[in-house]
Amino acid sequence: MGKEEYLLCIDRVLAGNLQSLSFVNIWFGILVFVSGVMAPSFWYATFPIAGVSAFSAIWMDRWHNQNQKGRHFSKKVIYRLVVSFYSFIMLSSLYLFVWLVPGTSVSIMFYIILICAIFTIVAPPSLGLGFTLISSVLFASTSFYLKELEIFIGDITMLTAVVPAAITFNWFSNMYKFRAMLNEIRLEGERDKFRQASTVDELTGLRNRRDFNTTFHRFLNNRRGTDAGRFVCLALLDIDHFKEYNDHYGHLVGDECLQNMGKALKDLRDSADVYVARVGGEEFAILWFEQDTAGIQKIVQEVHLRIKELAIPHKKSSTASYVTVSMGVYAVNSDTQEDTDAIYSLADKALYEAKEKGRNCAVVYANIAKQHLT
């Protein structure tokens, strides 16, 4: 297990325990408030502590809700939260149940609950162990200075019996929780790898045909009837004379050519907010949403310019001395009733026409009106 994986487990467990922190604060606030009601002479101590506890419960519950909505907290924030909570509840308990309560049973009962609460909240077992040992020393030393010898011996006896049992039980509880989170994180990693492998073309880094089919259906269905007057645009690109390129330069160089094409088209995606996928050997698809035919032509010209700027030599091309592409584009109103197969078929037909016209050009079908762009 790497360091990053370990810290991620801790952060997730701690973030997930924010609700537990909230419940403990509520319980503690109620307990302190009842104590204040039963001992009115100490209201100046009990009521403010109960109020702070209630405020902390609301605050931590809010953090928990934000975490459930996807917000993540850094390790420093979570640790600061746990330590501040621990300090508050520990010092308050010492004040109320060691200094103010002379008996043994109430102090030990509260201390047992406190240990269980702290160990349930603090994810790393080592951190929980440190908190518990500090609490034990502080509790024992305070009892020694403030209580009679007989009561102090009773505190130490109960402490000796309870603390090891609480530590053992909660150690295993936290280790189980930690390992469960570790397994979940590793499973998520495997799922991400599988998802990446199933939707991304390994050679070019673009989306693959499977992802394109899914995205195309979703894109068309989401836009249909919501952006009337605008265009759903599909462009199919094919590298001109790519078979001759592979035969002459070799498949390794051919792969480099495809990778360079992928980088150029990926940059286009980043700048123009379009979807790009590799849908075949040397065939790519571009999907975007456009305002008018002028915008369509701008994207088409940008693609050709980027390919030209690559300046990849192609001695066996009868079209140019460098690698070029032919494009077929079909743009249709977003409220069209045509399905994805029909749109793809028309874009493919436009691509075929571009090749027939000499390659290194684009043919655009916009509202079934053909335009030839060189």
Side-chain angles (χ1 to χ4, degrees):
M1 177 175 59
K3 182 179 179 180
E4 293 184 2
E5 199 174 42
Y6 172 77
L7 293 178
L8 181 59
C9 286
I10 292 178
D11 292 345
R12 287 197 178 184
V13 173
L14 288 176
N17 284 334
L18 289 173
Q19 194 171 39
S20 299
L21 281 169
S22 177
F23 289 151
V24 171
N25 267 276
I26 293 174
W27 168 84
F28 183 70
I30 293 174
L31 185 62
V32 173
F33 181 79
V34 172
S35 301
V37 172
M38 296 178 64
S41 57
F42 296 106
W43 67 268
Y44 57 88
T46 56
F47 289 168
I49 291 175
V52 172
S53 183
F55 173 79
S56 300
I58 297 173
W59 179 49
M60 292 174 186
D61 185 66
R62 182 168 173 246
W63 274 40
H64 170 75
N65 292 335
Q66 291 178 354
N67 179 258
Q68 293 297 104
K69 294 178 181 178
R71 179 180 176 184
H72 298 286
F73 308 106
S74 67
K75 178 167 62 69
K76 291 183 179 180
V77 170
I78 297 296
Y79 272 38
R80 193 179 300 121
L81 177 67
V82 172
V83 171
S84 62
F85 162 75
Y86 174 82
S87 302
F88 164 70
I89 196 172
M90 190 63 221
L91 293 177
S92 300
S93 66
L94 285 171
Y95 181 77
L96 292 173
F97 295 96
V98 178
W99 293 333
L100 302 182
V101 180
T104 302
S105 58
V106 176
S107 300
I108 294 298
M109 178 191 70
F110 181 82
Y111 190 75
I112 294 171
I113 299 174
L114 177 64
I115 289 176
C116 294
I118 292 298
F119 254 101
T120 302
I121 292 163
V122 180
S126 56
L127 186 60
L129 177 62
F131 279 160
T132 303
L133 293 178
I134 292 172
S135 302
S136 301
V137 172
L138 188 59
F139 185 89
S141 59
T142 307
S143 178
F144 175 78
Y145 283 107
L146 297 180
K147 296 184 179 183
E148 297 178 0
L149 180 61
E150 182 179 352
I151 298 177
F152 166 71
I153 293 176
D155 280 354
I156 295 300
T157 302
M158 293 291 291
L159 208 60
T160 304
V162 169
V163 170
I167 288 177
T168 302
F169 174 79
N170 287 287
W171 179 284
F172 283 108
S173 174
N174 276 292
M175 287 302 297
Y176 173 81
K177 184 165 49 177
F178 182 84
R179 287 169 181 168
M181 185 58 67
L182 178 61
N183 290 336
E184 182 179 338
I185 289 173
R186 288 177 174 174
L187 184 60
E188 286 180 3
E190 292 300 320
R191 281 199 298 262
D192 289 341
K193 289 179 181 179
F194 176 77
R195 191 180 300 112
Q196 183 82 356
S198 64
T199 60
V200 176
D201 177 63
E202 185 177 358
L203 182 62
T204 63
L206 300 174
R207 296 297 177 177
N208 60 19
R209 182 60 180 264
R210 174 186 294 180
D211 188 75
F212 169 77
N213 291 337
T214 303
T215 302
F216 194 10
H217 280 281
R218 184 173 63 249
F219 187 86
L220 184 61
N221 292 333
N222 290 345
R223 295 296 187 179
R224 182 174 285 145
T226 61
D227 294 285
R230 304 180 74 186
F231 294 103
V232 174
C233 305
L234 172 64
L236 297 180
L237 287 69
D238 194 80
I239 302 177
D240 295 328
H241 311 291
F242 190 69
K243 182 180 182 303
E244 290 80 359
Y245 185 92
N246 265 336
D247 292 342
H248 180 71
Y249 294 100
H251 288 282
L252 290 179
V253 179
D255 287 347
E256 291 180 7
C257 175
L258 290 171
Q259 288 173 341
N260 290 327
M261 294 284 292
K263 291 178 182 178
L265 295 176
K266 186 176 182 180
D267 290 340
L268 173 74
R269 179 194 67 190
D270 294 338
S271 62
D273 191 26
V274 298
Y275 173 89
V276 185
R278 182 188 178 199
V279 294
E282 67 273 16
E283 188 172 301
F284 301 84
I286 304 176
L287 184 64
W288 77 101
F289 201 59
E290 194 55 75
Q291 294 276 5
D292 49 36
T293 54
I296 298 171
Q297 294 182 13
K298 182 178 179 180
I299 293 293
V300 170
Q301 292 167 354
E302 178 70 15
V303 170
H304 277 285
L305 178 62
R306 287 176 179 270
I307 302 305
K308 185 177 181 179
E309 287 177 346
L310 291 176
I312 301 174
H314 192 345
K315 295 181 179 180
K316 295 299 181 178
S317 173
S318 58
T319 303
S321 60
Y322 55 90
V323 171
T324 59
V325 296
S326 299
M327 293 182 62
V329 183
Y330 180 55
V332 63
N333 286 329
S334 58
D335 57 356
T336 180
Q337 297 303 311
E338 294 179 280
D339 59 18
T340 55
D341 290 339
I343 295 174
Y344 192 93
S345 178
L346 285 167
D348 191 58
K349 183 178 179 181
L351 174 61
Y352 178 80
E353 185 174 331
K355 292 180 179 180
E356 289 293 310
K357 290 182 178 294
R359 302 177 189 268
N360 192 25
C361 64
V363 171
V364 180
Y365 292 175
N367 288 339
I368 318 301
K370 299 178 183 179
Q371 303 177 36
H372 181 217
L373 304 178
T374 56

